[in-house]
């Protein structure tokens, strides 16, 4: 026999139960870092940090949700927050300079194609390091990709080719498998070469001197692609916060006006996907 409530037996469908606490699964992805604007192979932006797990929500206490924006104008991505959990924004890709390193973050930004400096560090449990400089300055002057949620980016090789962004991580919390938080690809100066590919999970591709780098994908937290032109820049993709719990519990009772969200009901669950903004939420 299940737990008796004012609505009957917990577990019966279509009888929402207002419990003092609600076991909840979550996915938090921060905004990805911007790609490096560089005339000589900019580094790809690092993916936003990714956290996935479970917590118990106290229905008597409102909790904060913040969806991190992607980095723009050569900046790190912004953090995403769910209650006491914070996913760190992705690091920006490095621009041209002997001592310029990729930004550190949830995942680190990649190094541009010039000696000195390194790829940015990732945050343990959230993402991986950006690629380093390969150590052989020359054509096609490829930069390194940014790190992703499940893999570091490779360093630009001694053949001077740009490298791809690190791979993201798949989650089925929404009811179907989606890959999040891929790193941005490295850029390249030579118009005869292609920039590095973005990592699976919304990473933007890097560009050459004749094209424009690709932004990270909105609500996937991907890093922006590195540039082959100093005047070109790419933005990181915004993050996302998703919570789900079994459908025997009541709907969320209050969502702050500053939050954008959708509600879906895959079999057996209520899923709330927060796509922008910040505010307080209560069940």
């Amino acid at each position: 026999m299940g737990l008796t409530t004012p609505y009957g037996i917990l577990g019966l469908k279509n009888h929402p139960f207002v419990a003092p606490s609600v076991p909840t699964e979550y996915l938090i992805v921060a905004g990805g870092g911007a790609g490096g604007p560089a005339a000589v192979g900019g580094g790809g932006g690092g993916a936003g940090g990714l956290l996935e797990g479970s917590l118990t929500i106290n229905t008597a206490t409102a909790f904060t949700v913040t969806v991190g924006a992607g980095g723009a104008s050569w900046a790190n991505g912004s953090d995403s927050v769910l209650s006491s959990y914070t996913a760190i924004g992705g690091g920006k890709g490095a621009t041209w300079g002997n001592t310029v390193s990729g930004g550190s973050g949830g995942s680190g930004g990649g190094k541009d194609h010039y000696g000195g400096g390194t790829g940015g560090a990732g945050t343990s449990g959230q993402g991986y390091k950006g690629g380093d400089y390969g150590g052989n300055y020359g054509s096609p002057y490829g930069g390194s990709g940014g790190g992703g949620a499940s893999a570091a980016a490779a360093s630009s090789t001694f053949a001077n080719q740009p490298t791809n962004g690190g791979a993201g991580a798949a989650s089925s919390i929404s009811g179907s498998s989606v890959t999040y938080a891929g790193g941005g690809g490295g850029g390249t100066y030579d118009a005869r070469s292609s920039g590095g590919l973005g990592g699976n999970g919304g990473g933007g591709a890097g560009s050459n001197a004749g094209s424009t780098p690709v932004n990270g994908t909105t609500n996937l937290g991907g890093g922006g692609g590195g540039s082959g032109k100093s005047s070109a820049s790419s933005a990181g993709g915004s993050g996302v916060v998703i919570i789900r719990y079994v459908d025997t519990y009541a709907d969320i009772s209050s969502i702050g006006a500053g939050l954008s969200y959708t509600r879906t009901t895959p079999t057996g669950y209520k899923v709330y996907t927060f796509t922008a903004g910040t505010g307080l939420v209560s069940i």
Side-chain angles (χ1 to χ4, degrees):
M1 182 71 69
L3 175 64
T4 301
T5 79
Y7 300 100
I9 304 301
L10 177 61
L12 292 179
K13 303 294 185 183
N14 303 317
H15 293 284
F17 174 41
V18 181
S21 59
V22 178
T24 303
E25 298 170 77
Y26 65 84
L27 174 74
I28 313 168
V29 181
V40 183
L50 184 151
L51 293 170
E52 189 168 21
S54 59
L55 76 163
T56 300
I57 292 176
N58 184 337
T59 58
T61 304
F63 56 93
T64 297
V65 172
T66 300
V67 179
S73 301
W74 195 43
N76 284 11
S78 297
D79 298 348
S80 289
V81 176
L82 170 64
S83 186
S84 61
Y85 297 90
T86 299
I88 306 300
K92 62 185 179 182
T95 191
W96 194 85
N98 186 48
T99 60
V100 177
S101 295
S104 296
S107 286
K111 178 71 177 81
D112 66 296
H113 188 82
Y114 198 67
T118 63
T123 299
S124 178
Q126 298 194 22
Y128 286 82
K129 185 180 183 301
D132 295 328
Y133 169 60
N136 183 30
Y137 185 74
S139 181
Y141 306 99
S144 295
S150 67
S155 300
S156 57
T157 67
F158 284 92
N160 305 310
Q161 297 294 328
T163 64
N164 300 336
S171 170
S172 296
I173 191 171
S174 66
S176 59
S177 181
V178 178
T179 302
Y180 301 87
T188 178
Y189 169 77
D190 194 333
R192 296 168 298 179
S193 179
S194 298
L197 300 176
N200 291 341
S207 71
N208 60 27
S211 61
T212 301
V214 178
N215 295 336
T217 303
T218 301
N219 296 136
L220 294 184
S227 178
K229 297 187 291 187
S230 58
S231 60
S233 183
S234 67
S238 58
V240 70
V241 176
I242 303 175
I243 62 172
R244 80 172 184 181
Y245 52 86
V246 298
D247 60 8
T248 49
Y249 293 100
D251 290 351
I252 286 179
S253 62
S254 175
I255 296 176
L259 284 164
S260 298
Y261 73 97
T262 60
R263 175 185 179 275
T264 56
T265 54
T267 302
Y269 291 98
K270 295 176 180 179
V271 177
Y272 291 84
T273 301
F274 298 94
T275 54
T278 187
L280 292 175
V281 176
S282 299
I283 297 178

